[in-house]
Amino acid sequence: MSNLSRRNVLSLGVALGLASAASAVPAWAASADPWWVWDDEVDTLLAGLVDGGGVPAVNTALRSWVNNADPLPAGLPADLTGWLQRANRLPSWADPVKLRRAADFNRRKDTYLFLLYGLGSGIMSTVIPREARSVYWSAGGANMQDRAAKTFTFGYDLSELGAFEPSGQFVVTANKTRLVHAAVRHLLPQSPHWRAVADERIPISNGDILVTFHSLGTFVHRKLREWHVPMSAADEDAFLHQWQVAIHLLGVRDEFVPQTWAAADAQSAQVLTPLLSPTPEGKELAADLLGLTAQIDLGVTRGFLNEFVRYVLSNEVGDWLGLPRDYAAATLIRTGWPAYIAFREGLLPIAPAGFYVFDQFVRALAMLFLNKGTSSTTTPITIPTGNRPGA
């Protein structure tokens, strides 16, 4: 790595609130390489379903399977039913006390979580080259509003009270997402467009999923600390445990799952921050995602939205995505957002100027991604049968 590129990585790591991007700590305390680990059993099952034309019937059967306590639907192939019977459960090490505390933490901090997952992690995904290319050339990339709704459903179900309880939906959502990933792993390598730009043979490895986790859980945790959002040590531990269970349910081997936030920060600094860069696919996806706000009034200008992306992710990322500057909005955000947090956390007695602008913005942003802004409950997750049209 050149001195210039090393400085860029370091400055971006600092801007994103991550640990030193030059850390020498090994990223994985495991003997295997997560970038060469996929999800072999379910990948074989889904390849057979895709090639045999069985996906539409499976999607129909899965439509009624929503809550964690729901029985597996009838009409699934026997081998898929057998796999789901083994996969559709929490790991033995899942701690119900920590998961309940995480659910309460999510409820208390939902305002910040909606914004960080939506604007922070959502837009960051467009400057993770492998993720941006895989999304763009898959079927979901052709309809970003629908894909954003499905992606948001994953985070929404994870953040719900009782997410892992029988009445919750996250275990089912995770398993459906795992099926989608398996189908995409079979389909994308058949796309000459994806193969022309990809630097991997098969997408969505355990390593790729962990990079996505760092763009979500690790990034959000670091931002909450950077913004001085009050969190107890027990809250932070529960938030990590929630994500540990979540990525296990997505098929990541336990040996790759970070056991502490310090370990997560060290991994992220090595495997996320140095990877971030613009791609043609990512720029188009970001434009699509930010353009969705034109369809629902967030109570702010597009300049305000652009500057909030820069505030959350850094000016370097904003420049990569070609986001026009709005210096008046930037000033309002830099001064108003810390005051907004302080008031919400009971540290200021009177609502600061601009409070209701921020409040309306965050809540409208959250609803934007819920089934195209029309549902506050769930968005159907369906297995694809092909790639992006024309890909």
Side-chain angles (χ1 to χ4, degrees):
M1 182 183 292
S2 70
N3 289 335
L4 178 60
S5 60
R6 187 179 299 276
R7 285 198 299 271
N8 287 340
V9 167
L10 287 168
S11 64
L12 187 57
V14 171
L16 295 177
L18 300 171
S20 169
S23 171
V25 177
W28 315 108
S31 56
D33 183 343
W35 274 274
W36 291 93
V37 174
W38 290 274
D39 207 352
D40 296 343
E41 183 179 358
V42 71
D43 287 354
T44 299
L45 290 175
L46 264 293
L49 283 171
V50 171
D51 292 345
V55 169
V58 168
N59 280 332
T60 298
L62 292 176
R63 195 173 297 147
S64 62
W65 188 43
V66 176
N67 294 326
N68 297 335
D70 290 346
L72 291 176
L76 295 176
D79 51 2
L80 180 57
T81 296
W83 180 82
L84 283 171
Q85 286 171 338
R86 298 191 302 277
N88 190 46
R89 63 185 65 182
L90 296 178
S92 61
W93 46 263
D95 185 331
V97 174
K98 288 184 179 180
L99 292 177
R100 284 193 288 271
R101 187 178 189 103
D104 182 63
F105 174 77
N106 292 331
R107 176 190 59 80
R108 288 183 279 120
K109 309 302 180 184
D110 62 352
T111 297
Y112 319 122
L113 295 178
F114 280 137
L115 185 143
L116 286 170
Y117 286 142
L119 272 191
S121 303
I123 301 302
M124 190 194 299
S125 71
T126 70
V127 293
I128 301 173
R130 282 187 173 183
E131 185 167 349
R133 289 164 177 152
S134 292
V135 168
Y136 184 86
W137 292 111
S138 66
N143 185 344
M144 281 306 293
Q145 185 165 12
D146 182 67
R147 188 185 186 282
K150 289 178 169 63
T151 302
F152 194 85
T153 289
F154 184 89
Y156 185 84
D157 289 349
L158 176 62
S159 299
E160 277 282 80
L161 284 172
F164 296 92
E165 304 287 342
S167 59
Q169 299 180 357
F170 183 75
V171 179
V172 170
T173 294
N175 276 288
K176 287 184 178 181
T177 302
R178 195 169 171 182
L179 296 176
V180 170
H181 286 171
V184 171
R185 279 191 286 267
H186 180 62
L187 289 165
L188 262 186
Q190 301 175 37
S191 165
H193 299 278
W194 179 78
R195 292 199 307 270
V197 296
D199 64 352
E200 55 187 342
R201 180 172 57 88
I202 302 171
I204 321 179
S205 67
N206 269 206
D208 292 321
I209 295 173
L210 282 159
V211 167
T212 300
F213 153 67
H214 288 307
S215 75
L216 290 157
T218 307
F219 166 74
V220 167
H221 174 253
R222 293 293 301 174
K223 278 296 178 182
L224 292 175
R225 296 191 68 182
E226 179 187 313
W227 288 348
H228 305 293
V229 174
M231 298 183 290
S232 68
D235 284 341
E236 293 183 69
D237 187 44
F239 187 65
L240 174 62
H241 189 67
Q242 160 199 273
W243 274 105
Q244 291 169 327
V245 175
I247 57 181
H248 168 92
L249 291 173
L250 289 180
V252 173
R253 291 185 186 176
D254 290 348
E255 64 192 280
F256 301 136
V257 178
Q259 296 304 301
T260 65
W261 280 121
D265 286 337
Q267 287 183 6
S268 183
Q270 284 195 11
V271 304
L272 172 62
T273 309
L275 294 178
L276 298 178
S277 64
T279 61
E281 294 89 350
K283 289 180 181 179
E284 186 170 332
L285 294 177
D288 288 346
L289 286 171
L290 293 171
L292 294 178
T293 60
Q295 301 178 36
I296 296 179
D297 180 18
L298 300 186
V300 300
T301 65
R302 177 61 184 268
F304 182 97
L305 179 66
N306 290 344
E307 289 297 336
F308 222 113
V309 171
R310 287 177 175 273
Y311 179 73
V312 171
L313 290 181
S314 79
N315 281 326
E316 186 171 10
V317 172
D319 290 344
W320 285 347
L321 298 176
L323 303 183
R325 297 305 309 259
D326 184 330
Y327 293 102
T331 299
L332 171 61
I333 293 165
R334 282 197 307 271
T335 58
W337 182 247
Y340 172 82
I341 292 175
F343 178 73
R344 284 192 60 88
E345 297 298 328
L347 303 177
L348 284 180
I350 301 174
F355 174 85
Y356 293 104
V357 172
F358 287 111
D359 210 44
Q360 180 182 0
F361 171 60
V362 174
R363 295 184 183 282
L365 182 72
M367 290 305 301
L368 172 64
F369 297 111
L370 290 174
N371 201 15
K372 304 180 183 179
T374 63
S375 170
S376 60
T377 54
T378 189
T379 297
I381 296 175
T382 53
I383 302 167
T385 57
N387 294 314
R388 185 185 184 96

